Amino acid sequence: MRRLFAIPLLGLLLLPGAAIGMPRATGDGTLSVRGATGTITIRASRGAVLGNVEKATTIVFKDYLPNDGSGPIVYGAQTKDEKEDGVTTVYAGKNVRFRLIGGRYFLKVVGSGIDLSVVGQGTVTLEGGSVVDDGIYAFNDDEYRSLPNLRLPFSLGASPQQPGG
């Protein structure tokens, strides 16, 4: 009897993870960032990003083609500044959550407690805040590494070109 109850319960627990999973097309890469302090910059030719930041000094979104995806959806920001160019919005605050699904975009996050999940193609720049524990990152299911203290660019794709590797 317990087994009959446990199997459907396990299915219900797995369902939310599958439902929020981001679609991944051929050639797309992934990036996962956990507990970062510093600056993360993403220039995606296509893709999606989900994230939250404990303390966001700035979160800059540029949605180059507003009708090609969801556009940035942001919760918890204490400030929001829409620039006159019609594509740039700057946010700041504590415990800010955001997502942008589909399309071409630019994202720059400066702060602490940065957690991101990215899928798509483009370039990524990682730069720690020069503290002892700046957080960790991983591309394409590789092992997690410490966030670099120097600004390092990476390609986001099926096989990112990592400096020194």
Side-chain angles (χ1 to χ4, degrees):
M1 183 69 146
R2 288 183 186 190
R3 181 178 283 177
L4 290 175
F5 180 71
I7 292 172
L9 181 60
L10 179 61
L12 288 174
L13 292 174
L14 295 175
L15 186 61
I20 64 170
M22 294 182 280
R24 187 169 170 189
T26 303
D28 282 353
T30 61
L31 168 65
S32 174
V33 176
R34 293 184 188 170
T37 296
T39 303
I40 314 286
T41 305
I42 302 164
R43 286 178 174 82
S45 57
R46 72 171 191 214
V49 60
L50 301 172
N52 64 43
V53 184
E54 287 178 15
K55 184 177 179 185
T57 305
T58 58
I59 300 174
V60 179
F61 274 107
K62 291 186 181 187
D63 187 6
Y64 296 109
L65 300 169
N67 296 323
D68 67 346
S70 70
I73 299 169
V74 180
Y75 299 99
Q78 280 75 49
T79 65
K80 176 182 177 181
D81 181 17
E82 293 184 27
K83 300 300 181 182
E84 291 182 21
D85 64 5
V87 298
T88 306
T89 308
V90 180
Y91 300 89
K94 293 182 179 179
N95 299 315
V96 180
R97 296 170 297 143
F98 56 87
R99 72 175 183 237
L100 188 143
I101 309 295
R104 184 173 161 245
Y105 66 89
F106 169 89
L107 170 64
K108 181 176 182 179
V109 180
V110 180
S112 60
I114 303 169
D115 295 321
L116 294 174
S117 294
V118 182
V119 63
Q121 295 180 8
T123 60
V124 173
T125 304
L126 303 175
E127 181 179 9
S130 66
V131 296
V132 175
D133 183 14
D134 284 342
I136 56 177
Y137 73 96
F139 283 99
N140 300 335
D141 297 324
D142 286 344
E143 290 189 28
Y144 279 89
R145 301 176 182 200
S146 293
L147 207 66
N149 286 332
L150 301 174
R151 183 177 302 159
L152 289 179
F154 298 89
S155 294
L156 180 62
S159 298
Q161 298 299 317
Q162 298 188 18

